[in-house]
Amino acid sequence: MIRFEHIRKEYENVTPHKDITGVINDGDVVSIIGPSGTGKSTLLRMINGLEKPTSGKIFYNDEEITANNYDYKKLRRKIGMIFQSFNLFNNLTVLDNLVMPQIDILNTDKYTARDKAMDILNKMGLAKHCKQMPSQLSGGQKQRVAIARALVMEPEVLLFDEPTSALDPAMVLEVQETIKWLKENNTTMVIVTHDMEFAKNVSTKIFYLDEGEIFEEGTPNEIFNHPKRSKTKAFVSNQKVLEILIDGNNLNFDVINNAIADYAKALKLSKELLNNMAVVLEELILQTILIKKPDAIVVFTMFTDNGVIDYKIKFNGKYFDPINKDSLSIKIFKNSITDYTYQYHSKAERPNSLKFKSK
């Protein structure tokens, strides 16, 4: 069992996790979904010690793995990780990719290691590829070999970081069937994915990450067909969500631009929509709101559905409707959007609220 207790993760300019609390039980297949920038892969990496939380605790079988001086080498013998880029040794055959970790980490003799590797390859339908080099395999085959390499170490838990992101639909099905086979053998798995159909097909539980927490969790049926919260519903109904917190006192353009670029790439948005997001960011937020209110904290939210972006922007301070400002930036902004509305809620934390759509 893996247990998160009030996990907070801070970087210099962003805090993806504010209060992550939840449980992954033995035999669970948990898919972690959510908008870009919500720290899905970071949470995965914290489970096997590649990252450490700023505060909070993580327990594995009731042992705190975030404690000082914890032996992560011992943990990584129990928890295997399959990376997005496969991380196979390109100078070794498929068989040797499975043999070498057993010899180096488990001190297994090479004959026992080879027998064990071939047994796993046989079970996964990969034995015929044992003498091939990774460069001779398809993407789906490489991903399955990466899974097989993790399995020879006899892990109790498998972690997957975007296992289908680089695969075409046929290869996705190969990996999906492998994960279903592992599921039938009661392997505990935690999977970060942007592929909602894949998550729906393989998971026993879904964690939807947003606003720095596990915003909603449930079975695939509950999350995809009967979500309790409107933001979850918007996300899983293909109105994909990106939310960026922009601090006027501590701007980091690279972080903001990378989040937008990743979002556009993940959803395969057109160049026109990417340009539209750039106009809103540059002309409205940076050149208008933050010029007028340099100390403002701006929440920049985008929902994408059917080739249109729904924008919501909230910021603190006194009444200020940017659309009434007569400037070149606002003229450029007006030409790129439609359905603009402004509201001021005097008692709200961020009382200024804008809504509009891309043209």
Side-chain angles (χ1 to χ4, degrees):
M1 181 177 73
I2 300 165
R3 187 168 80 252
F4 306 103
E5 290 189 357
H6 305 294
I7 293 300
R8 183 177 181 86
K9 180 63 175 178
E10 298 175 356
Y11 295 103
E12 185 177 352
N13 297 302
V14 66
T15 303
H17 302 145
K18 296 176 183 176
D19 188 3
I20 300 285
T21 297
V23 172
I24 298 167
N25 291 307
D26 294 342
D28 278 348
V29 181
V30 177
S31 284
I32 303 175
I33 65 172
S36 297
T38 50
K40 299 181 294 297
S41 294
T42 300
L43 186 61
L44 198 73
R45 291 166 66 84
M46 283 196 282
I47 294 174
N48 76 340
L50 292 174
E51 299 248 10
K52 290 202 75 171
T54 305
S55 63
K57 298 177 180 180
I58 302 175
F59 294 85
Y60 179 66
N61 291 338
D62 294 324
E63 185 177 9
E64 187 190 344
I65 64 175
T66 44
N68 290 333
N69 302 318
Y70 182 80
D71 183 3
Y72 284 107
K73 187 179 289 186
K74 177 181 73 174
L75 179 72
R76 290 174 191 141
R77 292 180 181 178
K78 299 176 182 178
I79 298 180
M81 187 158 182
I82 295 92
F83 295 89
Q84 183 177 351
S85 56
F86 317 127
N87 283 16
L88 298 175
F89 298 110
N90 290 320
N91 60 329
L92 299 178
T93 64
V94 166
L95 180 60
D96 286 340
N97 262 278
L98 274 65
V99 169
M100 291 305 296
Q102 297 180 71
I103 295 173
D104 292 345
I105 299 171
L106 301 181
N107 297 318
T108 307
D109 71 82
K110 66 178 181 179
Y111 300 107
T112 303
R114 285 175 67 87
D115 288 345
K116 188 175 178 182
M118 285 306 302
D119 181 53
I120 293 292
L121 290 172
N122 270 308
K123 287 177 179 176
M124 295 184 65
L126 292 167
K128 63 184 177 183
H129 302 293
C130 69
K131 295 182 180 180
Q132 290 182 301
M133 307 299 284
S135 60
Q136 297 174 286
L137 305 177
S138 70
Q141 289 165 345
K142 288 178 185 177
Q143 190 63 280
R144 288 161 60 212
V145 170
I147 295 170
R149 185 178 61 182
L151 288 176
V152 295
M153 308 301 287
E154 298 185 1
E156 298 171 352
V157 178
L158 285 177
L159 310 177
F160 295 84
D161 190 7
E162 295 287 359
T164 62
S165 64
L167 307 181
D168 65 33
M171 295 176 187
V172 169
L173 286 176
E174 287 183 26
V175 176
Q176 184 172 293
E177 290 307 307
T178 300
I179 290 178
K180 285 183 176 179
W181 171 68
L182 293 168
K183 180 179 174 182
E184 289 169 3
N185 286 277
N186 296 314
T187 304
T188 304
M189 289 176 275
V190 187
I191 305 167
V192 167
T193 183
H194 280 95
D195 188 333
M196 298 299 101
E197 198 62 30
F198 179 80
K200 195 183 300 184
N201 289 335
V202 303
S203 309
T204 61
K205 185 189 290 186
I206 304 288
F207 285 170
Y208 172 62
L209 261 58
D210 210 334
E211 298 188 11
E213 62 182 21
I214 298 175
F215 192 77
E216 187 167 349
E217 69 174 276
T219 65
N221 182 52
E222 289 168 339
I223 295 297
F224 290 106
N225 299 325
H226 308 286
K228 295 176 181 176
R229 307 183 72 173
S230 58
K231 203 167 187 181
T232 312
K233 184 178 181 180
F235 183 82
V236 301
S237 64
N238 291 323
Q239 291 176 297
K240 306 299 186 184
V241 182
L242 174 66
E243 184 173 280
I244 303 173
L245 186 70
I246 301 173
D247 183 348
N249 287 317
N250 195 14
L251 282 174
N252 188 317
F253 297 107
D254 288 340
V255 169
I256 297 168
N257 287 328
N258 288 341
I260 289 174
D262 289 346
Y263 175 72
K265 182 179 179 182
L267 297 186
K268 298 181 173 63
L269 298 185
S270 66
K271 186 176 180 180
E272 289 74 18
L273 285 181
L274 181 58
N275 288 340
N276 190 273
M277 288 187 282
V279 166
V280 172
L281 173 66
E282 180 68 24
E283 308 300 344
L284 177 66
I285 297 176
L286 300 181
Q287 294 299 326
T288 304
I289 295 174
L290 291 180
I291 292 295
K292 173 71 175 180
K293 298 175 175 290
D295 296 333
I297 306 293
V298 182
V299 177
F300 181 26
T301 306
M302 289 159 276
F303 298 77
T304 305
D305 188 33
N306 294 325
V308 175
I309 301 175
D310 281 289
Y311 293 96
K312 183 186 293 183
I313 294 175
K314 294 184 177 182
F315 55 95
N316 55 322
K318 295 180 180 179
Y319 182 101
F320 175 56
D321 183 356
I323 204 76
N324 293 325
K325 188 172 176 60
D326 185 19
S327 68
L328 178 60
S329 287
I330 289 301
K331 288 176 183 176
I332 295 170
F333 167 70
K334 283 181 179 179
N335 285 333
S336 69
I337 63 101
T338 186
D339 297 343
Y340 179 91
T341 61
Y342 171 85
Q343 285 185 303
Y344 184 79
H345 305 277
S346 59
K347 295 182 179 179
E349 180 184 5
R350 296 183 179 90
N352 298 279
S353 177
L354 319 177
K355 291 183 181 180
F356 49 90
K357 298 178 183 289
S358 62
K359 278 187 177 176

